[in-house]
Amino acid sequence: LNEKPRISTLVSGALNFLLSDAGSEIYELLGNIYINQAPILKNRDEIISYCSSLYADTSDMQTHLYKILKDRDNLADTYIKPFQALLLHGRSTEISTSCFGYVRLEPPIYERGHIIRGAIVSLIPSGPASEVAAPVTSEVIGALLEEPALLKALQSLNKESFTKQLEEILLRFYKSTVQTRLHLKTSGAEKV
């Protein structure tokens, strides 16, 4: 009889920790959005270099982020046709909170039969923090594909509209996560 409350308490504690972390991650991400016009850039490498500077406060940090973004781009082409943009993303031990940004290219860059009108930058912390950050970031990228108004706000550099819409999308995601976790909690408690 003493085992049930203890297991239930452990599940409840883990649930509260996860939901608290998910809420904090969403809050931090919404506070780390960068949307702006890039200076005139001539090629993919210049785009990656510029994007690596967005969240770097030192030249060493910029070099570190450049390597992460460049390695990912070398691993697989990061061009996303529906966005007409590069999706530059990666994980870093040097950042403590997720970052999301978009830079519009004017004029666009033409490369390998594609027109690159911008670059989306998504960086998340590596290690245990990525377990919470990765699903939130995936939700943002998925929403860009599924919500034309969100993508339009991003591409038109309307940070206020983009952030407001993204906040609503992430709130729905958070509520869905809570409902899923509560369902798992009640299912797990019934099995014990």
Side-chain angles (χ1 to χ4, degrees):
L1 289 175
N2 290 338
E3 289 298 314
K4 284 186 181 180
R6 196 166 54 172
I7 290 172
S8 176
T9 301
L10 290 173
V11 170
S12 178
L15 174 67
N16 290 338
F17 183 72
L18 175 73
L19 296 179
S20 174
D21 281 356
S24 294
E25 176 62 26
I26 290 169
Y27 177 80
E28 291 294 330
L29 178 68
L30 290 169
N32 282 315
I33 294 174
Y34 175 91
I35 300 174
N36 213 341
Q37 178 81 33
I40 294 174
L41 303 172
K42 297 180 178 129
N43 57 47
R44 184 181 289 243
D45 197 58
E46 286 186 8
I47 297 170
I48 295 170
S49 180
Y50 178 75
C51 290
S52 69
S53 73
L54 298 179
Y55 296 102
D57 52 2
T58 66
S59 60
D60 286 346
M61 181 63 147
Q62 182 175 350
T63 301
H64 168 74
L65 295 178
Y66 173 83
K67 181 175 178 357
I68 288 169
L69 298 177
K70 183 71 173 175
D71 287 352
R72 182 62 184 88
D73 189 58
N74 287 337
L75 183 64
D77 187 7
T78 57
Y79 182 77
I80 307 294
K81 188 174 182 176
F83 300 159
Q84 292 186 323
L86 300 180
L87 175 57
L88 303 173
H89 60 287
R91 297 172 192 234
S92 169
T93 56
E94 301 297 316
I95 60 172
S96 58
T97 60
S98 296
C99 309
F100 180 85
Y102 176 78
V103 293
R104 183 171 64 190
L105 303 174
E106 194 58 50
I109 294 173
Y110 297 90
E111 173 192 87
R112 301 182 221 152
H114 300 301
I115 181 170
I116 304 173
R117 296 188 185 276
I120 296 168
V121 184
S122 176
L123 294 164
I124 63 172
S126 57
S130 70
E131 292 178 27
V132 175
V136 173
T137 301
S138 293
E139 186 69 19
V140 174
I141 302 305
L144 286 171
L145 287 166
E146 296 169 9
E147 306 272 346
L150 184 66
L151 182 59
K152 184 177 178 182
L154 185 66
Q155 291 174 329
S156 65
L157 305 183
N158 189 336
K159 184 177 179 180
E160 184 178 330
S161 175
F162 175 79
T163 303
K164 183 179 179 201
Q165 290 179 60
L166 185 60
E167 190 175 289
E168 291 170 7
I169 289 164
L170 291 177
L171 180 59
R172 285 194 306 265
F173 170 74
Y174 182 77
K175 286 179 179 178
S176 172
T177 302
V178 169
Q179 289 173 340
T180 300
R181 294 297 175 179
L182 288 175
H183 175 70
L184 290 175
K185 178 184 170 187
T186 57
S187 294
E190 290 169 6
K191 291 178 184 177
V192 176

